[in-house]
Amino acid sequence: MDFRTACEEVQVLRNAGEEVTLTVSFLKRAPAFLKLPLNEDCACAPSDQSSGTSSPLCDSGLHLNFHPNNTDTLSCSSWPASPGLRWEKRWCDLRLIPLLHSRFSQYVPGTDLSRQNAFQVTAVDGVCSGIIQCLSAEDSLDWLQAIATNISNLTKHNIKKINRNFPVNQQIVYMGWCEAREQDALQDRVYLPTFLALRGSCLYKFLAPPVTTWDWTRAEKTFSVYEIMCKILKDSDLLDRRKHCFTVQSESGEDLYFSVELDSDLAQWERAFQTATFLEVERIQCKTYACVLESHLMGLTIDFSTGFICFDAATKVLCGQL
C-alpha cells in the first residue's frame, strides 16, 4: 500500500457515516516479502560495505538487489522508489564453518553410538554446525565423503606451504583428526578428539592442530616412527561398535587405540604411516640399541643394508651377525 492509496482510504472512512463495516481477510501464510525488514538498516539492503553474508532474519531467501537495467519499480514507505530495485532469491548464510583443520563425526561425542543418518562438523575454533540430519544413509555418506575430501585437499595444500619452512628431514607427511580411546573405562567420555601428525622421524599427538613452530614442541606425546608399530584392526579386533580403528604400540609397550570416521580416512592414515616409516629408515640406515644377553651388556645394531649385528658392549667383539 503506497501513501496515496492510504490517503484515499482514510478519506473514504471519513465520508462513510457513523457506522462502518470492515471485512478483514486472514492469510494463513504470510507472503515471503512481508517477512523482510524493509528499512534502510536492513542487512539485506545493498551496501558497499556488504560482506556477502545475509541476515538470518531474511529466512525467506528474498532480497532487494539493485540492477541498473531493471525498469520495474517498487513502492514502499521504507524504501525510496527507484527504477533499479527488484526482488531476488539467494542463499542466506546462517553459520559459516571453515573446513581447514575442522573435524566431523557421525558418533555421539565421546561414545561409540552412531547417529542414524546424521553428523556434525566442528571448526578448529570450536564452532559447531549442530546435528545435520539427512534423509537417508546414502545422503549422509555422500555428505561425509564430500566434506572429508574438501578437508583433505585443504590440509594437503596447507602442508605444502608449511613444508617450505622445514628442512628435508623434517617434512610433514600427514596431519589430521581422529579420536583416541581412553584406557580408563570409568570416564564419561571414552573417546576424545586427538590431532595426529607425522613429521620427519616422529609421530606427534596433539590436543589441537599445531599452528606455529613453537606448537610442535608442545605435543602431548611424541614417538619415533621407526620404534612403533601400527596395526589396522579387523572387525574381530574392535573393542566396541566403532569401525575404522587402528592401534599404535610404542617401544615401551604402550598401546594407543584410535578411531577415524571413514574407510578412506583409515586408508589415508595407513599410506602416510608407511611413507613416513620408509623415509626415516632410508635416511638413518642403521640404529644401535643396548640389550642384555645372558646377563651380559650387549649392543644390537640393526643395519638396513647389511642386517643385524650383535656385539659385546665392553669389548666390541662381535657375537653374531645375520
Side-chain angles (χ1 to χ4, degrees):
M1 180 186 300
D2 58 23
F3 179 76
R4 184 177 60 184
T5 304
C7 293
E8 291 175 352
E9 293 184 356
V10 171
Q11 189 63 36
V12 171
L13 290 174
R14 288 179 178 177
N15 300 333
E18 297 181 358
E19 294 185 4
V20 177
T21 302
L22 297 177
T23 302
V24 180
S25 298
F26 173 72
L27 298 177
K28 293 184 178 180
R29 184 176 181 180
F33 64 86
L34 294 179
K35 300 179 183 179
L36 292 174
L38 295 179
N39 55 64
E40 296 181 1
D41 296 328
C42 173
C44 301
S47 171
D48 293 338
Q49 288 79 29
S50 174
S51 63
T53 302
S54 309
S55 169
L57 295 175
C58 305
D59 56 355
S60 63
L62 288 173
H63 296 259
L64 279 173
N65 272 358
F66 180 77
H67 292 270
N69 297 329
N70 183 31
T71 57
D72 297 336
T73 59
L74 175 68
S75 298
C76 178
S77 58
S78 299
W79 284 87
S82 171
L85 291 175
R86 69 179 180 85
W87 292 106
E88 179 184 89
K89 265 199 170 186
R90 73 183 185 199
W91 290 101
C92 297
D93 294 333
L94 299 181
R95 187 167 299 176
L96 182 64
I97 300 179
L99 289 181
L100 178 61
H101 292 330
S102 67
R103 53 188 170 88
F104 61 93
S105 180
Q106 53 191 322
Y107 294 97
V108 176
T111 73
D112 62 339
L113 300 177
S114 178
R115 295 188 177 96
Q116 186 175 5
N117 307 336
F119 63 92
Q120 65 179 1
V121 183
T122 306
V124 67
D125 59 358
V127 176
C128 183
S129 66
I131 307 302
I132 300 175
Q133 184 69 52
C134 300
L135 297 178
S136 66
E138 291 77 12
D139 290 343
S140 179
L141 182 59
D142 287 345
W143 271 107
L144 289 174
Q145 289 176 338
I147 294 172
T149 300
N150 277 273
I151 293 176
S152 178
N153 291 337
L154 289 169
T155 302
K156 290 177 181 177
H157 180 70
N158 192 46
I159 288 176
K160 287 182 179 179
K161 293 195 298 183
I162 297 175
N163 278 340
R164 297 171 187 169
N165 303 317
F166 290 139
V168 177
N169 63 337
Q170 291 294 322
Q171 296 286 291
I172 301 172
V173 177
Y174 173 89
M175 289 198 301
W177 284 101
C178 64
E179 297 221 357
R181 193 177 195 273
E182 296 299 308
Q183 296 180 353
D184 186 1
L186 298 179
Q187 292 187 1
D188 294 334
R189 297 172 68 91
V190 179
Y191 285 92
L192 294 176
T194 300
F195 194 84
L196 297 182
L198 290 167
R199 175 190 164 207
S201 63
C202 295
L203 165 63
Y204 296 84
K205 182 173 179 282
F206 295 98
L207 297 178
V211 177
T212 66
T213 304
W214 174 248
D215 290 339
W216 288 94
T217 65
R218 298 186 294 175
E220 184 183 13
K221 289 186 178 181
T222 305
F223 307 95
S224 297
V225 293
Y226 54 83
E227 293 180 341
I228 60 177
M229 182 178 68
C230 176
K231 179 182 180 182
I232 306 300
L233 299 182
K234 300 178 181 178
D235 291 343
S236 57
D237 298 327
L238 299 176
L239 298 181
D240 50 42
R241 286 170 288 189
R242 284 209 180 206
K243 302 178 180 180
H244 314 126
C245 299
F246 64 93
T247 59
V248 172
Q249 186 179 51
S250 67
E251 69 278 6
S252 63
E254 180 184 9
D255 278 328
L256 302 177
Y257 191 100
F258 298 102
S259 167
V260 292
E261 292 294 323
L262 302 174
D263 186 62
S264 57
D265 296 336
L266 190 61
Q268 183 181 9
W269 159 259
E270 185 178 20
R271 289 194 302 268
F273 185 81
Q274 292 173 351
T275 299
T277 303
F278 171 77
L279 292 175
E280 187 58 20
V281 167
E282 189 178 53
R283 186 185 71 84
I284 64 176
Q285 288 299 311
C286 70
K287 186 72 174 179
T288 300
Y289 298 92
C291 60
V292 177
L293 176 63
E294 297 178 352
S295 301
H296 293 283
L297 184 61
M298 310 291 291
L300 176 64
T301 298
I302 303 176
D303 192 303
F304 297 104
S305 57
T306 61
F308 297 86
I309 301 174
C310 184
F311 58 90
D312 187 281
T315 63
K316 306 300 181 183
V317 176
L318 292 180
C319 300
Q321 183 174 357
L322 295 175

